[in-house]
Each structure stands twice: as C-alpha cells, then as structure tokens.
Amino acid sequence: MAQGGRRIVALMLALLALASCRPQPQVHFFAEGQPQRLSQWQLLTLQDQRLRLNPGVLPYDLNSPLFSDYALKLRTVWMPQGQAAQYRENETFEFPVGTIISKTFYYALPQGARWDGGLVARQAPEDGGLQDETLDLRRVRLIETRLLVRREQGWLALPYVWNDEQNDAVLQRAGALLPLQLIDAQGQREEVAYQVPDQNQCAGCHATDNRSRQIAPIGPKARHLNRDFDYADGRENQLLRWSRSGYLDGAPEAGQAPRAADWTDTHASLDDRARAYLDINCGHCHSPTGPALTSGMSLDAATRDRLKLGFCKQPIAAGKGTGGRLYGIVPGDADASILAFRMDSDDPAVMMPELGRSVIHREGVALIRQWIEQQQGACDS
C-alpha cells in the first residue's frame, strides 16, 4: 500500500476511535421556560437510524396501557442524580423535583413499506418495535413525544410533534391534528384524525384530583409497573430495576406489590382483564376524586361497590350519551349498557373516553362487552 493510502487508513481509524469514545449527551433539565425543541432536553438521541436513550434515561412499560388510536409508546423516566421517587402502594409514586417523564407515540410501518405521508400499521410488530432499548426508524414513524416535567411549582405538560425529517420534535402548545390511515393485516384501511393534545387537554386528563386540579402522572403506579421488561442487559422486574437504579425508594419485593392484569392475557381472569382495562383507560377520570366524580361512576381499581361501578346505575344526566339506555351496566346485556354504547362510538358527543382517541378500540370494546355479558343479576330486582 502506498504511503498516502496508509495515512488515509490511519486517519480513518483514528476518527472511528474518537467517535467511539465521544461522550453521550447528558440530560438537561430546564427548571423554567418551555424549550422549543425536544432535543434540547437531551433525553433521546439519533444514531445509525435508530432512536436511542441517553444515559440515565430508563424505559418502562405498563401491564395494560392506555389506548391511543393504536399508537405504540416508548415510555421513559429520568431523575437527577441522587434523587428517587417514593413508593406508594396504590397511588402514583411521589416524584422529586427534576423528574422528566416522556412518552413517545409511534406507529409501525406496513410490512416492507416506506413512509408515504400517512399510511401506518394498525398492529404492532412482533417485537413491539423496541429492541435493546432502541427504535429502528426504518420500521416505525415517530408522531409525538409528550413530556411531564416536575418543577418546584408542580408538573408541567409539554407536547412535541416530530418533524417530517424525523430528526427532532417541535413544541406544539396548541396541539395538532395529523391525518393518518391505519391498515390492518387484511389490508383494510381506516382514516384517523390523530390529535396531539394542547396543554389544556393534557391537564384535562392529568388533573386526577378535582379538588386541587394539579396535574400528575397517571401510569407510574405500582400495579401498572409491576411486570418484567426486556432491558438491553436482560429481562427484569421494573420495580426491582427502578430500585436498583436509585429511582425508587421503599418498594417491597415484586411479589408483595399490587399488580394489574394485562388485558390481552387470556390466561388471566376475564374480570381482572376488564377491570385493568377500565382502570387505565377510565379510572383516572371516573374515580372518587377525578374530573368525572359528578357522574357517580367510579371505574378505578379500588372501587368494588357494584352500583358505583355502574351496575344498574341510572345516569346523572340523560341525553345523546345514553343512546336511550337506562343503566350504565345491565348485567348480562351489553347492548343495553351505556358503558358499552359509549365505548363503541366515535361520535364526539357520545364517545368515552372523550379525549385521546378518534377511532374505536375494537378489541377493547369486545373485552368489555364479553365481561358485561358474563355478569349476573337483573336491574328490575
């Protein structure tokens, strides 16, 4: 090899060595202000056509996730060094100032297809899209990333929408409406008016205590997190990983902590699956303290009173939302139940939940209908 060629090879090797030793960006917590670009927080990085997590950013998942127009979600949490959340058995953990919780919404691309401006797959890929704590951007389309930031004054919600180049997301305080098309395995397509919530709408769901109206996280509760997760270095229970990472104080052994069912797990009881689905999708509003408390209907995990759950319960306010039905849940008769009727609607004046979806969750409706059909009792007794 000529001397000039050897010099070029040596230079390339030196550059590669420098690149491999280059420190990864450190997360930047903003104690005030509203940064315009997601990249300013330095939670995520793009490398080799993959979306990666920066040091200290811990991914997690929920036993039963909230339905959002079939979008997949990458959830992460980050806390300042030396800070930890305090364990609570039934409520959201108490997070320290400086915490950043993120949720990135994305869709898988149809098998063998490239992004054409709106067509996405209804079904998740077999691996869920996440491998070794990274997302392959050749196989998925990033839609939005929502941040919940814990400041001295309380939590702040920030919605960021990913750009066409898929290299950053921009703050959209007023939200956005994104036209998409879902395609299923049979080739059937469905139009989706995907809504990125504005900051007020974020507060509408996350203000889970109607007395204080302060926003708070919904998902990070023991019963939702008590499950295994496939981390880059192996599979481990999330409560254990959070504790070992210094992000959680006071947690018991996983076997002693509450655990919600995975609503898709057919090995679990139908009652556990249905209650877990209603808890995560409805219980943050329909609870004794939530925004829907005036309805008198509570669908959170703690509620056991059948009347409060909606069995043979007449609605507080009649109208289009009842579909002419008399009771929230009629045991053994899903067709006569207001709950099933509102879940099976995409009419904004009827549908429940009111926010967070524009299409009907077919599988979720089927689950709740099956659960209602197996209930015993009669409303005329």
Side-chain angles (χ1 to χ4, degrees):
M1 180 183 293
Q3 185 175 3
R6 287 195 295 270
R7 287 177 177 173
I8 292 174
V9 171
L11 179 60
M12 292 177 64
L13 291 174
L15 290 173
L16 287 172
L18 285 173
S20 64
C21 296
R22 186 180 300 154
Q24 292 178 282
Q26 297 297 312
V27 174
H28 186 165
F29 174 76
F30 290 86
E32 57 185 23
Q34 300 190 18
Q36 290 301 300
R37 291 178 291 111
L38 178 66
S39 57
Q40 292 174 259
W41 295 90
Q42 299 184 167
L43 293 167
L44 310 169
T45 189
L46 301 173
Q47 184 182 0
D48 303 327
Q49 292 187 288
R50 301 191 76 90
L51 185 71
R52 303 177 184 275
L53 311 183
N54 280 330
V57 180
L58 187 66
Y60 68 93
D61 208 349
L62 309 181
N63 281 310
S64 283
L66 177 75
F67 174 73
S68 306
D69 284 347
Y70 291 97
L72 305 172
K73 298 163 190 175
L74 166 61
R75 299 172 178 83
T76 74
V77 62
W78 178 87
M79 296 176 221
Q81 187 172 7
Q83 298 293 315
Q86 299 302 309
Y87 177 85
R88 291 177 172 179
E89 184 175 21
N90 297 312
E91 305 302 322
T92 301
F93 298 156
E94 182 64 36
F95 288 93
V97 171
T99 299
I100 307 173
I101 295 175
S102 82
K103 185 161 59 172
T104 297
F105 295 70
Y106 66 97
Y107 287 92
L109 295 177
Q111 187 71 28
R114 297 173 62 88
W115 171 251
D116 69 352
L119 187 63
V120 293
R122 180 188 296 273
Q123 288 85 6
E126 290 185 2
D127 58 13
L130 191 67
Q131 289 185 316
D132 295 330
E133 301 183 21
T134 70
L135 284 175
D136 187 345
L137 298 183
R138 294 165 298 187
R139 300 177 59 199
V140 305
R141 185 70 183 181
L142 305 175
I143 304 297
E144 60 161 323
T145 295
R146 303 176 193 173
L147 299 187
L148 277 179
V149 181
R150 180 66 169 89
R151 291 176 170 170
E152 289 283 357
Q153 303 89 343
W155 289 95
L156 173 69
L158 296 170
Y160 291 86
V161 177
W162 283 86
N163 59 20
D164 290 339
E165 295 76 22
Q166 297 280 276
N167 58 18
D168 208 346
V170 179
L171 181 65
Q172 296 283 358
R173 295 178 58 188
L177 198 62
L178 308 176
L180 299 173
Q181 267 195 338
L182 292 174
I183 184 170
D184 63 19
Q186 290 71 44
Q188 298 296 312
R189 301 190 181 197
E190 182 176 9
E191 300 289 337
V192 178
Y194 184 98
Q195 184 175 20
V196 178
D198 61 38
Q199 286 184 305
N200 289 333
Q201 289 170 324
C202 290
C205 280
H206 283 275
T208 55
D209 189 330
N210 212 41
R211 296 163 298 188
S212 68
R213 301 302 298 162
Q214 297 294 312
I215 70 171
I218 295 171
K221 299 181 176 73
R223 62 181 178 272
H224 301 316
L225 294 173
N226 190 3
R227 53 161 290 168
D228 289 347
F229 186 91
D230 289 319
Y231 298 98
D233 59 358
R235 190 171 179 84
E236 187 175 19
N237 180 273
Q238 292 184 140
L239 294 179
L240 177 58
R241 175 59 66 104
W242 281 44
S243 298
R244 289 203 309 106
S245 300
Y247 277 4
L248 184 61
D249 282 343
E253 294 291 329
Q256 304 302 314
R259 182 181 183 277
D262 173 354
W263 74 266
T264 66
D265 180 10
T266 55
H267 294 96
S269 74
L270 177 60
D271 188 68
D272 286 346
R273 293 167 59 207
R275 290 301 309 275
Y277 183 92
L278 293 172
D279 179 35
I280 194 64
N281 283 281
C282 315
H284 50 283
C285 282
H286 283 275
S287 76
T289 62
L293 64 88
T294 55
S295 71
M297 191 172 185
S298 293
L299 298 172
D300 58 312
T303 299
R304 294 298 168 195
D305 184 292
R306 284 174 65 85
L307 181 62
K308 291 180 180 178
L309 282 170
F311 286 94
C312 300
K313 179 190 174 303
Q314 293 181 325
I316 297 297
K320 188 176 181 180
T322 68
R325 291 155 178 79
L326 298 178
Y327 303 107
I329 298 175
V330 178
D333 193 346
D335 288 337
S337 300
I338 297 172
L339 176 63
F341 168 70
R342 301 194 74 172
M343 287 180 60
D344 200 17
S345 174
D346 57 7
D347 181 344
V350 173
M351 69 181 195
M352 282 289 178
E354 296 174 314
L355 298 173
R357 72 172 178 92
S358 64
V359 300
I360 297 166
H361 189 194
R362 305 172 188 170
E363 299 80 3
V365 171
L367 170 73
I368 299 305
R369 287 182 60 87
Q370 182 185 6
W371 175 66
I372 293 173
E373 292 289 347
Q374 291 197 7
Q375 300 301 312
Q376 303 294 316
C379 292
D380 58 355
S381 61

